[in-house]
Amino acid sequence: MAGNRLIKVDNLYKEFPIHKGFLDQLVIEKGRFVRKHESVKALSGVKLEVLKGESLCVVGESGCGKSTLARVVMGLIRPTQGEVLYQDQRIDNMGFNELLPYRKKMQMIFQNPYASLNPRMTVRQTLEEPISFHNPRLSEAEVNERVVGVTESVGVDPAWSDRYPHEFSGGQRQRISIARALAVDPEFIVADEPISALDVSIQAQVLNLLMNAREQRALTYLFITHDLAVVEHFGSRVAVMYLGTLCELAPTKKLFATPRHPYTQALLSAIPKLNQSSSDYIKLKGEVPTPVNLPSGCVFHGRCVHANERCKQEIPELKTYNDISVACHAVEEKRI
Amino acid sequence: MSLLEVKNLEVRFAMRKEELVALRDVSFKVEKGERLGIVGESGAGKSVAAFSILNLISKPGYISAGEIIFEGQDLTKLSPQQMSQIRGNRISMVFQDPMMTLNPVLTIGTQMTEALHAHQDISKEDAKQRAIETLAQVHIPSAATRFDQYPHELSGGMRQRVVIAIALITKPPLIIADEPTTALDVTIQAEIMDLMMELCRTSEVGLILITHDLGVISQMTQRAIVMYAGRIVEEGDTKDIINDAYHPYTHGLMDALPQKTTPGQRLNQIKGVMPALSSIPDGCAFNPRCPLVADICRTTIPDYSNIGSTRVACHKAAPRGS
Ligand SMILES: Nc1ncnc2c1ncn2[C@@H]1O[C@H](COP(=O)(O)OP(=O)(O)OP(=O)(O)O)[C@@H](O)[C@H]1O
Ligand SMILES: Nc1ncnc2c1ncn2[C@@H]1O[C@H](COP(=O)(O)OP(=O)(O)OP(=O)(O)O)[C@@H](O)[C@H]1O
Ligand code: SF4
Ligand SMILES: [Mg+2]
Ligand SMILES: [Mg+2]
């Protein structure tokens, strides 16, 4: 397994402190004032591996920690606890200079093509910058050659290189962001909802582009999206997250055919389908819990119809059944 | 009388060298409690159409022709003061990007209660109560805690729910939602759609819903508009648009859905890209990309023809497969 592994994320925790005024932090406990620091538990013990050449899709509720996971893997933020390994090399604790070679191998595409391109840089400048930065020895002509090549590969006319981002539509901008990510010849791309803002026909263009790049460059993707139809199409495996934890990890076909975790089941049932006006999805019971005060036991228990006493107390471990991994007591006890 | 009637709306951008026409001859109606969907290519003018209803088109854009009749009043003729009494009160808007609505330096609570105080005579305590209730309605967990937080402390999806809460809090008769659930996962999307649906049904709130998610359009709306290069190319009952469309662009859009292709295969793209506003071709704007293109398409802009409940602008308009 290890030889085939590109990324390993081990027992990752990330907390964001909540900044409150001093007085707001005071709470009375056993008749005395105590100062309490609250924090958002964005990731609570995530373990997963990304295999070479695969497209691992990450789905889950808004706020469940998908972007945080992406940012920790990319080294943009440090985890509170746990490790990130790139080909068995620990990278989460590296300094800026040490991390540089990995910054070249790992590229990120952000959700919002409006915010992620610098409005004062032309397309050419946007693409030249990372190429020259990571390849300081290339001559100007060589850099230019690369820029032209990568612009063409994403279907943007190189004649437009001297235009600014505001002159492009959302889809074109997203192609430029992809071109920027591909420009430095990465091995691994983290895409955080790269197509959410695009219409269906441009989504098709961008997805085809990412699939072409996957084939031509043997790329590995960590792909975050809300669109389950896209997951079904693009993903080799799917990781389902809920409230900072991984609840299910399975090959795409298996996950869609036989979702095991109750949250996965609810998620798949809620996909809006054409010509289905009713809202006959699995409605989750209870309140959406908060990542500030995590529920005890299984983080999903308050919303789960299969929850029992054990679920309220004991955190379920991610257990592997053939090629499917599920963190659920009911599945383990063969109740579902 | 319709709740909203947009008549022959034209919006232009006065650029340094030229005038770009962003919307041409856009007409549609929304009845009380009706839910209308708008779909179309990125850059087709969906957001410009939504913004112009609220007179939120910023320079260099301006409304160059047409009327926007809302509750009997032509909104294009109102003063900025009169317009601000309508905005957020009679018509609320949910934008694509939640940070367009949210002020990063104010707490969620302040922003929500401000909206109430601006339009209604309500005490501070009642406003806070209403705000927390509305936050809970859009399924924000620990609403009372979130009330005191700043936008950057929330996830993207949570921010958008706050924006939806702000839109709902004044209980307006018309809500314009521009990609309201794009940032949300499907379970929360489903709940918010249910919530909006219930509001539209019980309080007869009209809804204009812009989204590229055809599944959402199919479930949420009764009528749908398809836009391309600044023009409505097809309008009809949503189920007809989804199943029995006449315009080749609408066909292309439906075919591009991942569901229409075997997993792992390349998706069906519409060849080419939508032209920039500055270089819209003569005749039908879709003609360079159209599989049915004929000579007349390159010279003459197609008029609307009515087929059943559908209105379509195409010289070769035909049901699929004929
Ligand atoms: N800088 C920050 N400070 C405080 N809390 C944060 C910060 N960034 C994220 N969070 C919190 O961490 C949790 C996870 O956020 P994250 O952005 O990873 O969610 P997500 O799964 O990407 O959600 P979405 O689908 O809405 O984008 C949320 O509760 C969010 O409010
Ligand atoms: N301030 C502006 N100056 C010049 N052109 C503009 C401006 N704002 C919008 N446009 C142009 O108007 C056209 C319509 O844009 P609009 O934002 O309405 O598209 P849209 O249909 O909402 O697309 P998307 O699905 O990507 O949100 C686009 O060609 C856009 O480039
Ligand atoms: S009018 Fe002609 S070019 Fe335009 S969509 Fe119809 S067939 Fe195609
Ligand atoms: Mg995110
Ligand atoms: Mg838009």
Side-chain angles (χ1 to χ4, degrees):
Chain A
M1 195 72 160
N4 191 22
R5 183 174 74 206
L6 191 63
I7 301 281
K8 181 174 175 181
V9 162
D10 202 11
N11 216 15
L12 220 51
Y13 286 80
K14 179 68 194 176
E15 296 188 7
F16 294 104
I18 298 179
H19 299 287
K20 279 191 175 175
F22 178 73
L23 285 176
D24 294 329
Q25 293 179 1
L26 294 180
V27 287
I28 300 173
E29 241 170 47
K30 297 194 186 112
R32 305 173 65 184
F33 277 111
V34 220
R35 193 165 165 200
K36 223 181 187 159
H37 297 277
E38 285 196 315
S39 65
V40 175
K41 282 93 184 160
L43 295 176
S44 308
V46 174
K47 274 185 212 168
L48 78 109
E49 297 185 340
V50 186
L51 309 180
K52 270 186 201 144
E54 82 164 332
S55 307
L56 179 64
C57 289
V58 182
V59 301
E61 200 156 54
S62 328
C64 70
K66 302 180 295 294
S67 298
T68 306
L69 175 65
R71 283 153 69 206
V72 172
V73 168
M74 285 298 297
L76 298 175
I77 50 175
R78 280 180 192 254
T80 312
Q81 198 188 311
E83 298 183 358
V84 179
L85 280 76
Y86 194 100
Q87 283 176 333
D88 299 329
Q89 174 65 51
R90 192 167 166 193
I91 57 169
D92 59 273
N93 54 358
M94 283 183 173
F96 183 83
N97 282 327
E98 259 182 305
L99 198 57
L100 268 186
Y102 295 93
R103 285 258 153 85
K104 178 169 179 274
K105 291 181 187 171
M106 303 160 55
Q107 289 290 313
M108 182 143 176
I109 302 169
F110 295 91
Q111 167 169 10
N112 188 343
Y114 297 87
S116 60
L117 293 175
N118 184 336
R120 276 179 287 279
M121 276 160 82
T122 63
V123 174
R124 185 194 309 281
Q125 290 164 338
T126 301
L127 297 177
E128 270 172 4
E129 189 189 60
I131 296 178
S132 322
F133 181 76
H134 287 293
N135 308 282
R137 274 186 226 108
L138 289 186
S139 72
E140 215 173 290
E142 285 167 321
V143 169
N144 191 45
E145 197 178 307
R146 278 228 198 167
V147 169
V148 171
V150 78
T151 332
E152 276 174 346
S153 77
V154 299
V156 172
D157 189 341
W160 292 0
S161 298
D162 293 314
R163 298 198 187 179
Y164 289 89
H166 75 266
E167 300 176 62
F168 293 98
S169 74
Q172 286 164 335
R173 281 185 234 203
Q174 198 56 301
R175 285 158 173 264
I176 297 163
S177 325
I178 293 172
R180 184 179 53 184
L182 296 177
V184 297
D185 243 329
E187 295 174 342
F188 177 56
I189 289 192
V190 175
D192 190 356
E193 307 197 25
I195 54 170
S196 307
L198 307 174
D199 76 80
V200 177
S201 83
I202 292 177
Q203 280 189 1
Q205 291 174 3
V206 172
L207 279 176
N208 286 348
L209 181 68
L210 293 175
M211 287 193 265
N212 289 342
R214 180 170 65 194
E215 271 169 27
Q216 289 157 8
R217 298 163 182 259
L219 279 172
T220 304
Y221 289 104
L222 183 70
F223 192 97
I224 297 172
T225 178
H226 285 300
D227 191 331
L228 292 154
V230 169
V231 172
E232 192 168 12
H233 204 83
F234 185 81
S236 48
R237 289 193 303 154
V238 191
V240 183
M241 286 181 66
Y242 189 83
L243 215 60
T245 63
L246 202 59
C247 46
E248 183 159 359
L249 182 67
T252 307
K253 260 195 188 154
K254 281 252 170 83
L255 188 100
F256 280 86
T258 47
R260 301 294 304 276
H261 195 284
Y263 176 67
T264 315
Q265 293 175 350
L267 194 68
L268 295 188
S269 79
I271 302 174
K273 294 179 194 71
L274 298 179
N275 296 316
Q276 175 197 300
S277 57
S278 61
S279 42
D280 54 0
Y281 57 95
I282 302 173
K283 292 185 187 65
L284 298 173
K285 69 182 186 98
E287 270 259 329
V288 183
T290 133
V292 178
N293 303 306
L294 284 184
S296 62
C298 171
V299 284
F300 189 61
H301 83 250
R303 316 210 67 202
C304 181
V305 288
H306 306 288
N308 62 11
E309 265 320 300
R310 185 177 173 211
C311 302
K312 287 182 195 160
Q313 283 153 24
E314 188 186 326
I315 298 179
E317 267 181 64
L318 194 71
K319 295 220 165 120
T320 304
Y321 310 86
N322 298 320
D323 48 356
I324 300 176
S325 302
V326 191
C328 171
H329 293 311
V331 170
E332 190 203 303
E333 294 162 9
K334 300 207 171 74
R335 289 193 281 121
I336 53 172
Chain B
M1 187 181 63
S2 304
L3 177 65
L4 175 76
E5 182 167 6
V6 174
K7 290 187 194 165
N8 311 102
L9 184 66
E10 182 181 272
V11 171
R12 292 173 181 251
F13 287 101
M15 308 305 272
R16 220 173 297 151
K17 289 190 211 121
E18 57 191 337
E19 291 245 320
L20 301 177
V21 184
L23 288 186
R24 322 174 172 251
D25 197 20
V26 167
S27 302
F28 62 88
K29 287 181 189 174
V30 181
E31 306 299 333
K32 206 173 164 195
E34 187 183 29
R35 304 179 304 275
L36 173 78
I38 304 184
V39 297
E41 196 90 347
S42 300
K46 305 180 296 289
S47 298
V48 168
F51 287 14
S52 51
I53 293 172
L54 285 170
N55 228 327
L56 285 176
I57 294 289
S58 52
K59 283 203 170 118
Y62 69 102
I63 295 178
S64 44
E67 293 170 37
I68 298 168
I69 314 287
F70 174 72
E71 295 184 323
Q73 261 184 319
D74 185 353
L75 299 186
T76 63
K77 304 229 154 58
L78 297 189
S79 69
Q81 289 84 339
Q82 289 170 313
M83 204 52 219
S84 65
Q85 271 315 305
I86 300 227
R87 221 180 280 139
N89 188 26
R90 305 300 297 163
I91 307 177
S92 284
M93 174 125 190
V94 178
F95 296 100
Q96 212 160 339
D97 176 1
M99 291 315 284
M100 279 186 70
T101 308
L102 298 175
N103 184 332
V105 300
L106 297 178
T107 63
I108 304 301
T110 309
Q111 309 194 43
M112 293 192 72
T113 49
E114 258 179 10
L116 274 176
H117 290 305
H119 302 292
Q120 295 176 11
D121 193 14
I122 182 167
S123 76
K124 228 176 142 208
E125 292 72 43
D126 288 351
K128 178 166 181 177
Q129 196 49 44
R130 264 278 275 291
I132 292 176
E133 274 167 29
T134 318
L135 284 175
Q137 247 185 3
V138 294
H139 305 281
I140 297 267
S142 16
T145 314
R146 298 293 180 183
F147 186 88
D148 293 315
Q149 282 190 299
Y150 290 89
H152 76 267
E153 297 176 278
L154 308 186
S155 79
M158 249 183 260
R159 276 182 219 156
Q160 190 62 317
R161 280 182 273 167
V162 169
V163 170
I164 292 170
I166 292 175
L168 299 180
I169 199 165
T170 55
K171 308 204 163 111
L174 179 64
I175 295 177
I176 302 174
D178 190 352
E179 305 278 4
T181 55
T182 306
L184 306 177
D185 73 279
V186 290
T187 59
I188 292 174
Q189 167 171 289
E191 284 172 9
I192 287 187
M193 289 297 158
D194 270 5
L195 177 83
M196 284 188 148
M197 196 74 151
E198 185 190 309
L199 255 151
C200 294
R201 287 212 180 112
T202 57
S203 321
E204 294 212 288
V205 175
L207 176 69
I208 299 177
L209 178 65
I210 300 173
T211 170
H212 56 255
D213 190 326
L214 296 163
V216 169
I217 286 282
S218 168
Q219 295 195 355
M220 285 292 293
T221 65
Q222 297 145 317
R223 287 185 70 74
I225 285 174
V226 183
M227 289 189 69
Y228 188 82
R231 217 178 158 216
I232 294 178
V233 294
E234 187 160 10
E235 181 195 348
D237 289 345
T238 303
K239 61 176 188 340
D240 294 335
I241 296 289
I242 302 275
N243 300 310
D244 303 300
Y246 289 92
H247 199 285
Y249 172 68
T250 316
H251 293 156
L253 202 60
M254 299 300 157
D255 286 348
L257 285 170
Q259 296 90 312
K260 298 284 164 80
T261 316
T262 325
Q265 299 296 304
R266 297 297 181 275
L267 301 163
N268 305 313
Q269 293 178 214
I270 304 176
K271 66 167 189 188
V273 293
M274 193 176 72
L277 293 181
S278 53
S279 54
I280 292 191
D282 287 340
C284 169
F286 190 57
N287 86 65
R289 308 178 68 188
C290 180
L292 302 181
V293 61
D295 284 345
I296 186 175
C297 305
R298 300 196 180 90
T299 55
T300 314
I301 296 181
D303 270 337
Y304 291 106
S305 44
N306 291 303
I307 312 172
S309 77
T310 301
R311 163 168 83 104
V312 56
C314 170
H315 294 296
K316 311 294 269 173
R320 182 75 86 142
S322 66

